Amino acid sequence: MQWLLGFFSYFKPYQRVWSGQYLGCAIASAAADLGNPTYKLEVGNPPTTVSQAAPGKVQILSPTNLDIAEVIVEGGIVRTGAGSDFSRLTPLPKGTRAAITARQTGSNNGKQVNWVRLDYGAWILAEQVKITTGATIPPKTIVKSVTSKERDGATDVTIPLQVPVPVTLEQGTNTLTLTLYNTTAQTDIIRFNDNPTVSRLDWKQTSPGVVQYVFNLKSKQQWGYKLRYQGSNLVLSLRHPPKLNKGDLSKPLAGTKILLDPGHGGKDSGAVGPNGATEKDANLYAAKLLANELSMRGASVYLTREADKFIELSDRQTIIDNLEPTLALSVHHNSLPDGGNPDTKGFSTFWYHAQAQSLAMYIHNYVVKDTGRNAYGVFWDNLALARPSASPSVLLEWGFMSNPSEFELIANPQEQQKMAKSIADSITVWLQSATN
């Protein structure tokens, strides 16, 4: 069965314009190159038939001779469709292999690029995989055992496989669910000792070729995870809760590492205030104030930049992944697009992974109540600096550069110091509560 997606437009002077996307399917008896299809549409009364040739070709792939894709980047970006507008799925670890079941030209941040669909349903950019043509055996594996080993600050769960297969991971309340595709369970033993994070591991073959592991956790709060292939072994690292020195009231954050990311920098100025002041400078100033407040409470604080320097978003993500901080906070100041309501103002927080939702909510509510600042809200958003999974990661918007009255607060050192102290206090209270 081959799905066809076409775009049809009909232009005629003084008449209505018909345009849109049409989806259908056709059954082919054998693999074949069908060339460029022609779409026909009847419009009007009496009906007039108009036609338009598709720019792309249709090819029926043989299920016994599919090409194989191997992910060649760290954290291959996979989506529900062939375009960057489609939702993200769990990034695929480098080395993951899967059969290609479709190819399509789509968009990626406004550019036309090639996508391939993997056999478990996700789409990935062709440039992120190495393609082996004419392969006869689709990647499949069996799983017989699961082992775990504690190391400093984390538990490593290892699942030996014959082939690195696609996976997804989903955080829930008190659970972490890992799903393996193209996998058949022949599990005879699982050794999982008691550890600071997991209370019990359950597993089941949910359908042919799909195996699911559910990690039942000791706490609702999760502290980060990493997923990688070591050879053909799948390794899931689960971060342990931080060990706070709760006996030292003067240094309540001793034992924690907190990363601060001052947004923008260098050639990327970010938003601009009414007097021409740039967000990049406001972010760096605010981040340094917050760093000082956290350091006074005993935290080891790291900044992605300490000067007016441009850093790619991917490099900022890598810093978080390598450092594995207790928390990661990206510091920003908001703005509205042209035509937005200039009266809009308020403090806001953004999260992506479930492990960061509680932190984002607590910081927002605490700071709004403590400082009297307006509340803009707590948002789930697919932001680059909220996506790292190694730590609970939150993006903070301290206020709106585009609002004249709020900009006066942003430009006031005493008001920014007040904000920094309030945010540091909220983090301290949240960490103490989350580690009880």
Side-chain angles (χ1 to χ4, degrees):
M1 180 179 291
Q2 174 69 36
W3 290 92
L4 309 179
L5 179 64
F7 177 81
F8 195 102
S9 59
Y10 174 55
F11 300 95
K12 195 171 184 180
Y14 66 81
Q15 286 190 356
R16 182 183 302 173
V17 175
W18 290 270
S19 65
Q21 290 184 332
Y22 302 87
L23 185 67
C25 64
I27 298 176
S29 58
D33 189 341
L34 303 181
N36 297 69
T38 298
Y39 299 100
K40 294 183 179 181
L41 185 67
E42 287 188 354
V43 296
N45 187 18
T48 300
T49 301
V50 292
S51 62
Q52 181 173 305
K57 294 183 177 181
V58 174
Q59 183 179 18
I60 308 300
L61 305 177
S62 170
T64 61
N65 194 29
L66 297 175
D67 294 344
I68 305 300
E70 179 180 341
V71 178
I72 57 175
V73 297
E74 299 292 346
I77 300 172
V78 286
R79 297 181 181 273
T80 56
S84 55
D85 291 336
F86 289 90
S87 297
R88 287 175 178 252
L89 300 171
T90 302
L92 292 181
K94 185 177 181 179
T96 300
R97 301 181 69 222
I100 296 174
T101 57
R103 299 171 186 259
Q104 186 172 314
T105 299
S107 65
N108 184 42
N109 298 323
K111 297 180 180 179
Q112 290 292 103
V113 292
N114 295 321
W115 293 78
V116 295
R117 186 179 65 195
L118 306 182
D119 53 21
Y120 79 114
W123 291 81
I124 188 169
L125 285 168
E127 65 187 36
Q128 294 194 349
V129 297
K130 179 179 73 175
I131 298 176
T132 303
T133 60
T136 57
I137 304 176
K140 294 184 179 180
T141 188
I142 60 173
V143 56
K144 291 189 174 182
S145 64
V146 179
T147 61
S148 67
K149 183 179 180 180
E150 283 189 45
R151 58 178 173 86
D152 185 29
T155 294
D156 291 336
V157 180
T158 300
I159 304 177
L161 305 171
Q162 290 78 48
V163 181
V165 295
V167 297
T168 59
L169 196 148
E170 180 181 0
Q171 289 184 321
T173 303
N174 292 98
T175 61
L176 189 72
T177 302
L178 175 67
T179 303
L180 281 65
Y181 299 89
N182 302 331
T183 302
T184 299
Q186 295 180 1
T187 306
D188 52 11
I189 189 169
I190 293 179
R191 179 174 180 177
F192 210 99
N193 297 328
D194 185 42
N195 71 82
T197 302
V198 181
S199 61
R200 189 181 75 249
L201 172 60
D202 299 328
W203 73 272
K204 60 182 176 180
Q205 183 96 40
T206 59
S207 62
V210 180
V211 177
Q212 197 169 80
Y213 295 92
V214 179
F215 297 85
N216 297 278
L217 307 175
K218 293 182 175 179
S219 170
K220 290 183 179 180
Q221 179 57 45
Q222 300 180 42
W223 297 97
Y225 67 85
K226 285 185 173 182
L227 199 58
R228 72 183 190 278
Y229 273 111
Q230 193 169 13
S232 61
N233 292 339
L234 180 62
V235 181
L236 171 63
S237 298
L238 301 174
R239 300 281 304 281
H240 294 169
K243 296 179 180 179
L244 300 184
N245 183 6
K246 296 183 178 180
D248 186 355
L249 299 181
S250 65
K251 301 289 183 180
L253 297 183
T256 66
K257 291 191 299 185
I258 297 179
L259 181 132
L260 300 180
D261 170 56
H264 307 285
K267 64 182 181 181
D268 180 11
S269 63
V272 179
N275 66 350
T278 60
E279 182 194 352
K280 66 177 182 178
D281 293 333
N283 294 344
L284 183 59
Y285 181 77
K288 287 183 175 180
L289 291 178
L290 180 56
N292 184 60
E293 289 288 338
L294 294 170
S295 296
M296 288 193 301
R297 291 160 175 76
S300 297
V301 183
Y302 303 81
L303 277 75
T304 56
R305 67 179 181 97
E306 298 188 46
D308 185 15
K309 178 182 178 181
F310 175 76
I311 304 176
E312 294 283 358
L313 292 176
S314 58
D315 292 333
R316 297 171 194 250
Q317 292 174 320
T318 299
I319 292 171
I320 297 174
D321 288 337
N322 292 339
L323 181 63
E324 296 185 356
T326 307
L327 303 175
L329 306 169
S330 190
V331 176
H332 285 256
H333 290 79
N334 219 332
S335 185
L336 287 174
D338 292 341
N341 185 351
D343 294 331
T344 302
K345 59 184 176 181
F347 177 67
S348 54
T349 59
F350 295 77
W351 61 279
Y352 180 76
H353 293 290
Q355 63 191 11
Q357 188 268 344
S358 172
L359 174 62
M361 184 70 71
Y362 193 87
I363 292 176
H364 176 270
N365 293 345
Y366 186 102
V367 170
V368 168
K369 182 177 180 180
D370 184 50
T371 64
R373 290 283 186 99
N374 286 79
Y376 188 62
V378 181
F379 302 86
W380 177 94
D381 202 348
N382 180 18
L383 300 174
L385 270 298
R387 286 199 302 266
S389 64
S391 311
S393 302
V394 172
L395 186 141
L396 311 176
E397 297 278 8
W398 286 36
F400 277 80
M401 301 278 290
S402 53
N403 182 288
S405 63
E406 194 157 67
F407 178 75
E408 291 183 7
L409 299 177
I410 295 171
N412 186 318
Q414 288 75 30
E415 290 295 329
Q416 289 294 73
Q417 176 62 51
K418 185 188 300 183
M419 283 288 289
K421 180 180 182 303
S422 184
I423 292 171
D425 286 342
S426 70
I427 291 169
T428 302
V429 177
W430 182 85
L431 276 170
Q432 290 174 330
S433 174
T435 54
N436 281 337

